[in-house]
Amino acid sequence: MSQTTIDPRSLRAPPRRPLRLSWSDERVRAIVWQVLVVGVIGAIVWWLWSNTVHNLEVRRIATGFGFLGREAGLPIAESLIEYSPTDTYLRALTVGLLNTLKVAVVGIVLATILGTVIGIARLSKNWLLAKIAAVYVEVIRDLPLLLQLLFWYALLQGLPGPRQALNPVQGVFLSNRGLKLPWIEWQDAHSFALIAFLLGAAGTWLYRRAAIAKRMQDGRPRAVWPVAVGAMLVLPVAVWAALGAPWVVDWPALRGFNFRGGLNMSPEYFALLLGLTLYTAGFIAEIVRAGILAVPGGQWEAAQALGLHPGQVLRQIVLPQALRVIVPPMTSQYLNITKNSSLAVAIGYQDIVSIANTTLNQTGQAIEGIAIIMLVYLTISLSISFFMNWYNARIALVER
């Protein structure tokens, strides 16, 4: 059998043609067009900037962010940090940022859980359960989010007052003043225990990676759960106990015309969180359903042939593979729930948009106020995108 000899010179890349200053050279044309586009964009930006500066000077409107150090005089109903109207605009905007994050982070977690459950329910063999999940998805996605927020807020406002509050479970009260839940009296010991738990979780993750790497070398499995129990359970409890083991439950109680104590969720926050969670869960459910359907049916059959329970097949075989399809569109939904939180201004919840709007109305710093809002949402969105892209790269299949 004859063998064909390949000339090594044919494997070399062809020599590059020298750049000729002629319009017939495609590289020269590409450079010229790029320079022209950049020049046009630069000219437009310069014109907008100079026109804005001129108009501000004509109207004698001061520019800059010096107003952030002035007293705000702005009342804020709820905040995660201490605040009073005598504080600065900077602290007021910080409160608004934390209020936005409080809605976005909790909403992302709840919407992910609810959407995953509904997406799996749509694929259930139980006809009634699958149809209820399908009706939920179709109805919730076809109604505008703003309309849903107004509906939930109006519904909460129609509840009875604190003296006639609904009490479905001991210590839980639902009225037109919001949702009241029992909560522990947070002390320094709880903060240090939480820090210990986070450090333990990070240590467990690092140990797991090292254990997997060593298993790939010698083939011996190493148990991770003892380290996880010690780092994420024993260590936080030991820190909490060493600092006095405080554990006092703060129960909400009716005092006068409202409840005192416990965890308070205002009607505005509760309506916003409920609306965003239910609305986004409808889209996440379809993403989860599509991801599960993208897994070949042979995976189900092979797992069932091994004697695995349907729940085990879903958790251990199907969902890990479906995540590669689910994660990219899920990123968009996380961004949407963060940006849609700006609709809080419609129901009176004081997030970054509401407080920034009040600030620019009081100070006249419209450009700076809008810039702060844009910077906040851009930073949050880029952070979410960076994390989700990192996670998507970790679970992606590596071809050899």
Side-chain angles (χ1 to χ4, degrees):
M1 184 175 181
S2 61
Q3 296 181 352
T4 304
T5 303
I6 300 177
D7 188 359
R9 292 175 297 178
S10 63
L11 300 177
R12 298 177 182 176
R16 298 190 61 181
R17 292 183 294 107
L19 183 65
R20 295 184 299 110
L21 297 178
S22 172
W23 189 255
S24 60
D25 193 327
E26 60 181 9
R27 290 175 294 175
V28 172
R29 294 199 302 269
I31 294 174
V32 171
W33 283 117
Q34 291 178 39
V35 171
L36 287 176
V37 170
V38 172
V40 170
I41 294 176
I44 293 175
V45 171
W46 177 82
W47 179 81
L48 291 173
W49 174 257
S50 60
N51 188 53
T52 301
V53 172
H54 174 71
N55 290 332
L56 291 174
E57 291 178 352
V58 170
R59 291 165 176 78
R60 297 181 179 179
I61 299 177
T63 58
F65 294 91
F67 69 95
L68 294 176
R70 301 205 303 260
E71 181 179 327
L74 173 63
I76 300 178
E78 53 185 305
S79 63
L80 292 176
I81 59 177
E82 293 184 2
Y83 173 82
S84 67
T86 58
D87 289 328
T88 62
Y89 282 111
L90 178 59
R91 190 167 185 84
L93 291 170
T94 302
V95 171
L97 171 61
L98 294 177
N99 286 346
T100 297
L101 291 175
K102 182 172 69 171
V103 173
V105 173
V106 178
I108 286 174
V109 174
L110 296 180
T112 301
I113 297 173
L114 180 60
T116 302
V117 172
I118 296 174
I120 296 174
R122 286 208 63 182
L123 300 173
S124 174
K125 295 181 180 179
N126 187 311
W127 181 86
L128 180 60
L129 180 61
K131 291 303 178 182
I132 292 176
V135 169
Y136 170 85
V137 170
E138 294 302 325
V139 171
I140 210 72
R141 295 198 308 167
D142 291 340
L143 294 175
L145 176 57
L146 180 58
L147 180 62
Q148 296 185 40
L149 294 179
L150 294 175
F151 169 78
W152 291 115
Y153 184 64
L155 184 64
L156 290 175
Q157 291 295 318
L159 292 175
R163 293 184 179 277
Q164 295 81 30
L166 303 178
N167 184 210
V169 183
Q170 181 181 5
V172 178
F173 299 92
L174 182 62
S175 67
N176 57 10
R177 301 294 179 88
L179 179 65
K180 313 296 179 182
L181 302 171
W183 193 248
I184 61 173
E185 292 185 0
W186 197 264
Q187 301 181 23
D188 292 340
H190 301 109
S191 300
F192 285 111
L194 178 59
I195 294 174
F197 172 80
L198 296 177
L199 293 176
T204 302
W205 179 72
L206 293 175
Y207 177 81
R208 179 176 177 273
R209 291 192 60 183
I212 293 176
K214 291 182 179 179
R215 182 177 181 179
M216 297 296 292
Q217 294 176 357
D218 55 23
R220 292 189 306 162
R222 292 168 174 81
V224 180
W225 69 266
V227 177
V229 171
M232 301 174 61
L233 181 61
V234 177
L235 178 61
V237 171
V239 171
W240 170 70
L243 296 177
W247 187 262
V248 179
V249 178
D250 188 11
W251 295 89
L254 182 63
R255 297 174 184 172
F257 297 98
N258 201 355
F259 289 95
R260 296 290 184 270
L263 178 64
N264 176 34
M265 297 177 64
S266 67
E268 294 79 13
Y269 174 77
F270 192 37
L272 180 63
L273 180 63
L274 190 61
L276 288 175
T277 299
L278 296 179
Y279 180 76
T280 310
F283 292 89
I284 292 179
E286 287 297 275
I287 293 173
V288 172
R289 184 174 72 95
I292 294 176
L293 292 177
V295 178
Q299 299 288 324
W300 289 89
E301 297 172 358
Q304 291 173 353
L306 294 174
L308 294 179
H309 187 272
Q312 294 177 319
V313 177
L314 185 64
R315 292 192 308 271
Q316 302 178 12
I317 306 297
V318 176
L319 280 181
Q321 300 181 69
L323 281 177
R324 300 183 177 95
V325 179
I326 292 173
V327 169
M330 192 79 83
T331 304
S332 299
Q333 295 306 316
Y334 290 167
L335 296 177
N336 287 339
I337 198 172
T338 302
K339 293 180 289 187
N340 288 337
S341 65
S342 61
L343 294 174
V345 68
I347 57 176
Y349 179 70
Q350 292 176 297
D351 67 336
I352 184 64
V353 175
S354 175
I355 295 177
N357 284 336
T358 305
T359 298
L360 67 89
N361 287 331
Q362 291 182 351
T363 62
Q365 307 292 328
I367 296 178
E368 291 82 356
I370 298 300
I372 290 174
I373 297 174
M374 294 174 62
L375 179 62
V376 166
Y377 281 104
L378 181 63
T379 303
I380 297 175
S381 298
L382 289 178
S383 301
I384 294 174
S385 298
F386 176 80
F387 174 78
M388 295 300 292
N389 290 335
W390 170 81
Y391 180 71
N392 187 41
R394 284 190 55 84
I395 64 174
L397 291 175
V398 180
E399 298 183 359
R400 298 180 178 178

